[in-house]
Amino acid sequence: MLLIECPWCGPREESEFSYSGEAHIVRPLQPEELSDEEWADYLFYRKNLRGRYLEQWNHAAGCRRFFNAERDTVTNEIKSVYKPGESPPEDDS
Amino acid sequence: MQKYSFLNLARNALSYHENWQRAWRSPEPKSDYDVVIVGGGGHGLATAYYLVKEHQIGRVAVLEKGFVGGGNTGRNTEIVRSNYLWDEAAHIYEFSLKLWEGLTQELNFNLMFSQRGLLSLGHTLQDLRDIQRRINANVLNGIDSEFVTPEQIKEVVPIIDISPDARYPILGASLQRRGGTARHDALAWGLARAADSVGVDIIQNCEVTGIRREGGIARGVETSRGFIKAGKVGCVTAGNSGVIAAMAGLRLPLESRPLQACVSEPIKPVLNMVVMSNAVHAYISQTDRGELLCGAGVDSYNGYAQRGSPSTLEHALSAIVEIFPRFSRVRMLRQWAGTVDTCPDACPIIGLTPVKGLYFNCGWGTGGYKSTPGSGWVFAYTIAQDRPHKLNEPFSLERFTTGHLIDEHGAAGVAH
C-alpha cells in the first residue's frame, strides 16, 4: 500500500486515489488537423518508463482534485508531488 | 535427449535416479546466430522451438536475463481457455488451445494439462447478455462454449453460493469444457528441454543491454556477456518490452502493470473447475497439490516492481469469499506479482517493426500464458518468413494508427 501525499490534503493511503496515467499529455488544440500517426500518439502511446515517471493522480475519495507525482516505477518511491500547471521538478537521478 | 518414459524411469530407479541427464544444457554464447530470441519465458522458448522444428533455422539462441521459469511464466495462474469474443482473438487462442491438447506428447514432458472446465460467472442481467453473445460468437467460430444455469453450476461446484441475496448473485455462467489448467513450471521446463534438444542455445543470466543497428537493420544484441551477432532478433520480453523497444529507438503502445496472484495452504479437493468472474475481477482454481490458486485484476498504476498493491488483492479475495463462503477461513500462504504489458485494446502485438530484422511479440497483458504455444508458433513463422501468418496479421503494430483495434477489453470476459 502506497502512502501518497496529496498536495492539498497531505499524506493519505493509496486506496483513496485513482490513477490517471502519464502526466503532461496535452490535448491537441486543432484536432481536425491531426494525422493518423499523431492521433495514435496522443491516444495510445505512453512513455511507460522504467524508473522515474511523471504521472497524474486523482484524490478520488478526498478532495477529488488532480495532481502530478514523480514516482520511481521500480521502487514505487514517490519523490515529489506538484499541482497541475506547475512545472515538473528537475530530474536529480 | 533422454526420453522420459516408464522404461527409463525403471532403468534409472536401479541407479537411485542419480544419473538422469540434465534437462537442458547451459552453453556459452556463440558470437553469431541466425536468430536471437530476447526473453526466455514460455513465449520465447516456444518461438525458438518452432523456429527449428517448423522452419529448420539452424542456429537459434534464447537470451534470458534471469533464469528459465523465473518471470511471468512461473507467476501466472495457469488458466488455459479460448472463449474470446472477436474472431481474430478467438482464432489465435483456439489455435493455441489445440496445440496445448497435444503438447504433453510433443514435448515428452507432463504439463499436467487438465481440461477440467472453466466457468465465467454472470452477476447481472447485462453480464448474462454479454455471456450469451460471447457463447454465440464462440460457437460460430467452432469453439465449445455453453450456457449453464445457477442450478447446473451448483451441481458441478457444490460449494458455490447461488442464493439470490448474495453480494454477487450468480445468474448463470458460460462453460468451456475444454478450458482448464496446466502447470506453469512444467511448461517452462518442458519447452526449455524440447528447445534445447533440437539445438537451441538457452543462455541464462544474460541480459540484453542494447540492440545494434546499421542503416535501419538489426545486426545483433549487446548483452551483459558481450556482443552477439544475429541475422534476426525476436523480442518477447512481456513487461519490459517497452524498455527493449527503446534500445532500438522504437515506441510501443504498452503500459506495464503489476498483476497479482496468491495460493492458500493445501486443502482437500473441493473445487474441480476453474471459476472466474469478470465483473469482480477474480478467478480461482484448485491445484493438484490442493492449494487454492487465486488471481486478481491488474493493479491500477504502472510499475516494474513485481510487487502488487494489497488493496487490489483484497478486492479479489473479498469477492471470492462472497462466492465461496467456506473459503473465509482458508489461510493464504504466498502472494506475488508479475509485470504485464497491457495494450490499449487488450490484444497482443505480434509482428514486424520499422527496424528490419527486428520483431516484437508483446502486449499479451494479463492473458499470455494460455497462448504460449500458439504465440510461439506464429512468431516463429513471422520471423522465419519475414511476414506475419494470417493468424497474427490482425495483431500488427499498425492497428493503432489505422484504428483497426480488436477490442477485447470487457467484451470477452477478459479477466484471466
Side-chain angles (χ1 to χ4, degrees):
Chain A
M1 180 81 72
L2 302 182
L3 186 66
I4 302 173
E5 182 154 336
C6 169
W8 286 281
C9 311
R12 300 292 183 89
E13 65 183 48
E14 174 196 324
S15 51
E16 289 189 17
F17 296 86
S18 67
Y19 185 65
S20 303
E22 188 184 328
H24 306 295
I25 292 173
V26 181
R27 193 177 169 81
L29 292 173
Q30 290 174 305
E32 64 277 7
E33 287 174 15
L34 246 51
S35 68
D36 288 350
E37 285 73 23
E38 287 166 326
W39 268 122
D41 189 63
Y42 169 65
L43 290 172
F44 303 125
Y45 283 80
R46 299 292 175 263
K47 290 197 185 104
N48 190 33
L49 297 175
R50 187 186 170 101
R52 181 182 185 261
Y53 201 42
L54 303 176
E55 55 193 14
Q56 284 188 105
W57 289 82
N58 181 353
H59 193 185
C63 64
R64 302 182 62 198
R65 281 189 276 197
F66 282 90
F67 61 94
N68 299 317
E70 176 195 18
R71 184 175 60 97
D72 188 311
T73 56
V74 180
T75 63
N76 280 338
E77 182 195 356
I78 296 172
K79 290 192 174 142
S80 63
V81 292
Y82 54 102
K83 293 175 182 173
E86 292 178 0
S87 50
E90 297 274 310
D91 183 3
D92 58 3
S93 57
Chain B
M1 178 175 76
Q2 193 175 16
K3 199 169 157 51
Y4 292 160
S5 65
F6 182 74
L7 194 65
N8 265 334
L9 190 66
R11 192 174 291 145
N12 277 281
L14 298 175
S15 57
Y16 303 99
H17 298 290
E18 285 173 355
N19 296 317
W20 282 100
Q21 186 187 8
R22 290 186 71 153
W24 60 88
R25 300 165 293 135
S26 288
E28 282 299 308
K30 297 193 189 88
S31 59
D32 186 7
Y33 287 97
D34 293 329
V35 177
V36 163
I37 302 294
V38 184
H43 291 239
L45 293 168
T47 306
Y49 172 68
Y50 288 119
L51 271 171
V52 179
K53 190 170 160 280
E54 302 282 333
H55 304 281
Q56 291 77 45
I57 306 283
R59 300 169 306 149
V60 179
V62 175
L63 309 184
E64 165 56 45
K65 76 170 173 183
F67 60 95
V68 165
N72 289 356
T73 307
R75 290 168 190 259
N76 59 74
T77 46
E78 312 191 324
I79 297 170
V80 178
R81 64 185 181 92
S82 67
N83 53 350
Y84 280 70
L85 176 70
W86 299 108
D87 291 351
E88 297 87 347
H91 290 159
I92 196 164
Y93 285 106
E94 175 62 13
F95 175 72
S96 195
L97 181 53
K98 284 186 175 144
L99 287 176
W100 269 110
E101 286 169 340
L103 208 58
T104 286
Q105 299 302 325
E106 168 151 8
L107 302 181
N108 179 229
F109 201 103
N110 184 6
L111 302 178
M112 297 166 78
F113 181 50
S114 161
Q115 293 178 296
R116 57 185 66 181
L118 178 140
L119 288 165
S120 299
L121 304 177
H123 306 293
T124 65
L125 193 56
Q126 187 57 44
D127 278 357
L128 287 197
R129 290 186 187 121
D130 290 342
I131 283 172
Q132 292 283 12
R133 180 185 180 209
R134 179 155 51 87
I135 289 171
N136 289 335
N138 290 159
V139 170
L140 287 172
N141 273 322
I143 296 168
D144 77 300
S145 195
E146 59 195 272
F147 184 78
V148 283
T149 63
E151 292 70 31
Q152 288 170 313
I153 297 169
K154 186 85 182 165
E155 226 165 82
V156 287
V157 185
I159 56 169
I160 204 164
D161 179 11
I162 58 163
S163 57
D165 58 351
R167 170 71 182 84
Y168 305 107
I170 292 162
L171 305 182
S174 73
L175 168 62
Q176 183 174 25
R177 292 185 192 272
R178 286 164 64 239
T181 60
R183 188 172 174 217
H184 50 12
D185 292 328
L187 180 71
W189 299 332
L191 280 170
R193 176 168 166 268
D196 180 82
S197 75
V198 294
V200 173
D201 282 356
I202 299 168
I203 300 157
Q204 302 179 85
N205 298 311
C206 180
E207 184 173 359
V208 169
T209 54
I211 294 173
R212 192 179 289 181
R213 291 161 291 149
E214 283 166 20
I217 302 168
R219 294 294 185 199
V221 288
E222 311 281 354
T223 76
S224 53
R225 295 172 71 172
F227 175 71
I228 299 173
K229 194 163 174 266
K232 291 173 177 178
V233 179
C235 300
V236 209
T237 52
N240 283 302
S241 293
V243 178
I244 301 284
M247 292 175 188
L250 298 173
R251 295 172 65 208
L252 296 169
L254 300 174
E255 299 214 53
S256 299
R257 296 267 168 99
L259 180 67
Q260 298 187 70
C262 58
V263 288
S264 74
E265 58 193 340
I267 55 175
K268 285 182 179 178
V270 286
L271 183 63
N272 61 353
M273 276 194 178
V274 182
V275 180
M276 52 196 286
S277 167
N278 189 35
V280 292
H281 275 295
Y283 38 99
I284 183 167
S285 64
Q286 189 171 21
T287 68
D288 292 337
R289 288 178 295 214
E291 302 152 327
L292 296 173
L293 177 54
C294 312
V298 282
D299 278 25
S300 68
Y301 53 87
N302 288 23
Y304 292 85
Q306 293 187 315
R307 251 194 338 260
S309 276
S311 51
T312 306
L313 201 57
E314 190 180 2
H315 175 74
L317 291 178
S318 61
I320 283 170
V321 169
E322 289 288 344
I323 295 167
F324 300 99
R326 72 174 57 184
F327 290 162
S328 63
R329 288 179 305 283
V330 172
R331 284 165 295 192
M332 288 298 160
L333 281 190
R334 296 191 305 281
Q335 169 272 342
W336 64 92
T339 307
V340 298
D341 43 343
T342 57
C343 221
D345 59 356
C347 275
I349 300 166
I350 321 163
L352 281 57
T353 67
V355 178
K356 197 167 160 42
L358 179 67
Y359 309 83
F360 262 89
N361 181 354
C362 58
W364 288 95
T366 57
Y369 178 68
K370 67 177 83 68
S371 58
T372 304
S375 158
W377 196 95
V378 298
F379 196 44
Y381 183 98
T382 306
I383 293 173
Q385 310 286 332
D386 198 34
R387 64 185 157 87
H389 187 266
K390 68 176 184 346
L391 279 170
N392 65 311
E393 208 169 18
F395 300 103
S396 69
L397 187 56
E398 287 77 44
R399 74 177 187 271
F400 297 96
T401 310
T402 62
H404 291 161
L405 303 184
I406 305 151
D407 185 18
E408 278 291 343
H409 250 312
V414 286
H416 302 279

